[in-house]
Amino acid sequence: MRFDDHVAVVTGAAKGIGAATAALFAKEGARVALLDADPDGAATATDLDGDHLFVRCDVSDGATIESAFETVREAFGGIDLLVNNAGIQRYGTVTQTSEALWDEVMNVNLKSAFLCAKQALPSMVERGRGVVVNVASVQSFITQANVAAYTTSKTALLGLTRSIAVDYAPNVRSVAVCPGTVDTPMLRWAVNESPDPDEVMREVNEMHPVKRIATAEEVASLIGYLCSADAAFITGQAYRIDGGLGLSIGGSKRD
Ligand SMILES: NC(=O)c1ccc[n+]([C@@H]2O[C@H](COP(=O)([O-])OP(=O)(O)OC[C@H]3O[C@@H](n4cnc5c(N)ncnc54)[C@H](O)[C@@H]3O)[C@@H](O)[C@H]2O)c1
């Protein structure tokens, strides 16, 4: 039980990577607070082992975050682990992206991580231990077409990760987890935007050198490792979990 006596907060925990991470923490002994704007998070929470709490919270809104963390502190006494996972995918080049869409993506994907860390860090400092995990993306390193706001938000999360690592060492660590394609409701939504979702799924599987996409549980497993005592010497770094996506030079063939 790697997380006995730990309190974990996971944002975007109603489904996908966040739900898998909350389940892993709960299974390994943590008390878990699931934050999500989607009320379905309450049902996700009831399936978990151990002590847990669902708080409906739009993580793009500072006042709502403040009150959600107050609820968590009242229920569990403090916070040891924070996974900033909530995120949205939106499409557009710079000229296609409206100011409102840019702000929406930055607020949900980036500002939320800053605001949630601001709430959790004092408790971690007081308890003398803590880990902040920012769920970024392979798009923190490489990009696809038409995702100007998304890729910018995910790249900036690496800067926030380094900043927290430097400012809150030695007792608090911060890491970024950067998935390739993961089979979650977000991916299924994106694929269904295309006229031929089956063909897109075939292409997506094919573009990873390991010839498949990840499960949410595989990403949760990396988050669990990085939050554990086994990773005590790791801070400020970004870890890709991407099946080799983006490694190969386009056009080269084996035969
Ligand atoms: N699925 C992928 O292929 C993939 C790849 C790389 C990175 N990621 C990142 O992983 C994270 C999780 O993605 P996922 O695929 O599990 O997504 P998902 O859409 O399946 O789940 C995201 C969760 O975040 C919640 N959420 C969205 N906006 C919110 C807000 N304003 N306040 C609170 N909760 C909010 C949603 O309700 C949902 O429960 C995201 O940050 C995403 O960018 C996903």
Side-chain angles (χ1 to χ4, degrees):
M1 299 290 262
R2 292 181 295 178
F3 303 115
D4 262 345
D5 298 326
H6 285 66
V7 175
V9 176
V10 181
T11 72
K15 47 185 179 279
I17 294 167
T21 303
L24 179 144
F25 283 143
K27 201 169 151 213
E28 299 206 38
R31 286 178 288 167
V32 186
L34 298 88
L35 271 52
D36 207 294
D38 182 346
D40 284 356
T44 308
T46 50
D47 290 341
L48 298 186
D49 301 315
D51 210 357
H52 48 72
L53 171 75
F54 171 68
V55 188
R56 192 167 177 196
C57 172
D58 176 350
V59 294
S60 66
D61 180 67
T64 314
I65 291 175
E66 217 176 304
S67 115
F69 276 80
E70 188 52 40
T71 305
V72 175
R73 281 190 297 266
E74 271 171 21
F76 294 151
I79 296 155
D80 305 292
L81 307 170
L82 167 66
V83 181
N84 286 314
N85 163 77
I88 51 172
Q89 172 71 284
R90 296 286 183 269
Y91 294 99
T93 63
V94 166
T95 47
Q96 290 162 349
T97 299
S98 66
E99 188 176 344
L101 189 132
W102 177 270
D103 288 344
E104 182 194 13
V105 172
M106 292 303 155
N107 289 344
V108 178
N109 291 5
L110 179 61
K111 191 176 80 170
S112 66
F114 154 68
L115 290 174
C116 290
K118 204 174 166 66
Q119 288 297 316
L121 282 164
S123 178
M124 294 178 180
V125 169
E126 194 187 317
R127 288 152 85 95
R129 68 177 188 192
V131 185
V132 177
V133 178
N134 294 315
V135 179
S137 170
V138 281
Q139 295 198 43
S140 307
F141 302 97
I142 56 177
T143 193
Q144 66 184 92
N146 298 324
V147 290
Y150 183 83
T151 197
T152 304
S153 70
K154 292 299 182 182
T155 306
L157 277 174
L158 304 194
L160 179 66
T161 303
R162 290 190 281 268
S163 184
I164 294 170
V166 167
D167 290 339
Y168 293 89
N171 295 332
V172 175
R173 299 185 294 108
S174 179
V175 289
V177 166
C178 303
T181 312
V182 189
D183 198 354
T184 66
M186 177 190 275
L187 173 75
R188 294 289 165 171
W189 166 81
V191 166
N192 285 327
E193 292 282 283
S194 102
D196 188 351
D198 289 343
E199 179 53 25
V200 174
M201 277 309 287
R202 261 191 301 280
E203 278 173 21
V204 169
N205 281 300
E206 191 59 27
M207 75 190 185
H208 296 75
V210 299
K211 302 298 178 203
R212 68 171 178 88
I213 60 175
T215 64
E217 288 70 25
E218 286 176 308
V219 180
S221 171
L222 176 59
I223 294 171
Y225 166 71
L226 290 169
C227 287
S228 75
D230 286 340
F233 202 57
I234 294 176
T235 194
Q237 297 302 314
Y239 289 87
R240 287 172 70 154
I241 171 163
D242 62 7
L245 182 62
L247 278 181
S248 71
I249 298 168
S252 60
K253 288 236 164 82
R254 230 183 308 196
D255 44 74

